Amino acid sequence: VIADVTDAGTTEAYVDAGALVGDGPDRVRRLDVTARSVQTLAADTGAAAGGIVAGQGSVATAEARPTVRSFVGGGAQIRVDDGVAFTAEGKLDVDSTAKGITVAGAGAGVSQGTVDADPTIETSIGADSLIEAGGDILLTAQQITTGLSSLATASFGGLIGAAASTATTLLSPTVGVAVGDGASLISRAGRIGLLADADNLADAFADGWVGAV
């Protein structure tokens, strides 16, 4: 029995290259550009076999590879009276559960649970662009993993048997904030802040039980 769930979407929010914001007679008070992705994935399998000779496998795989970007294209000019904030934020909750039960005279039960998460979260200011603000200029990239868990259980009951289980959890986030060559960030009465942050929680659990003669 196999369950396979994959999500590899892209979420973007941006000011395009060469754009002019607040450069004309109409004033812009504040600019907030936010790209946010929230992913919840679950792969769940349960396998059972019974007979004189029996074997059953249970494989659950959940893969998450989101890309989240908030950015200013090269050569853009942004002028606002108050603050500017560019934010890229990703949230993940990914689980896999593989359960196998074999009851037979002779047999084997194998369970494998795998979670693989590879998020890319980026906030960037393009080359030769300008941001001029009366207040704060804040650039943030943040990855939050509320749960990343793989569970595998295998059990066998019979005369001759084997039970094997493997649980694997892989997490490889890429989180970054970048300002391109020649770009200018000017805050007249505030602060300029760059923050790249990853907050992750992951676990894996495998259990096997054999009752045989």
Side-chain angles (χ1 to χ4, degrees), residues 49 51-55 100-109 154-164 208-213:
I52 302 301
V53 178
I101 301 174
T102 301
V103 180
S155 60
F156 172 83
L159 297 178
I160 301 173
W209 177 85
V210 176
V213 178

Side-chain angles (χ1 to χ4, degrees), residues 52-83:
I52 302 301
V53 178
Q56 187 66 279
S58 180
V59 179
T61 302
E63 298 178 323
R65 293 181 170 84
T67 298
V68 185
R69 295 191 181 101
S70 176
F71 63 92
V72 178
Q77 296 186 15
I78 299 171
R79 294 181 173 87
V80 301
D81 293 337
D82 196 351

Side-chain angles (χ1 to χ4, degrees), residues 41-128:
L41 303 179
D44 192 348
T45 61
I52 302 301
V53 178
Q56 187 66 279
S58 180
V59 179
T61 302
E63 298 178 323
R65 293 181 170 84
T67 298
V68 185
R69 295 191 181 101
S70 176
F71 63 92
V72 178
Q77 296 186 15
I78 299 171
R79 294 181 173 87
V80 301
D81 293 337
D82 196 351
V84 173
F86 281 82
T87 303
E89 181 182 282
K91 293 184 178 181
L92 281 178
D93 190 332
V94 185
D95 299 287
S96 71
T97 302
K99 297 180 180 179
I101 301 174
T102 301
V103 180
V110 178
S111 298
Q112 181 176 335
T114 302
V115 168
D116 189 356
D118 187 16
T120 299
I121 315 297
E122 298 177 339
T123 294
S124 63
I125 307 301
D128 301 316

Side-chain angles (χ1 to χ4, degrees), residues 124-136:
S124 63
I125 307 301
D128 301 316
S129 58
L130 167 68
I131 298 179
E132 183 177 349
D136 296 340

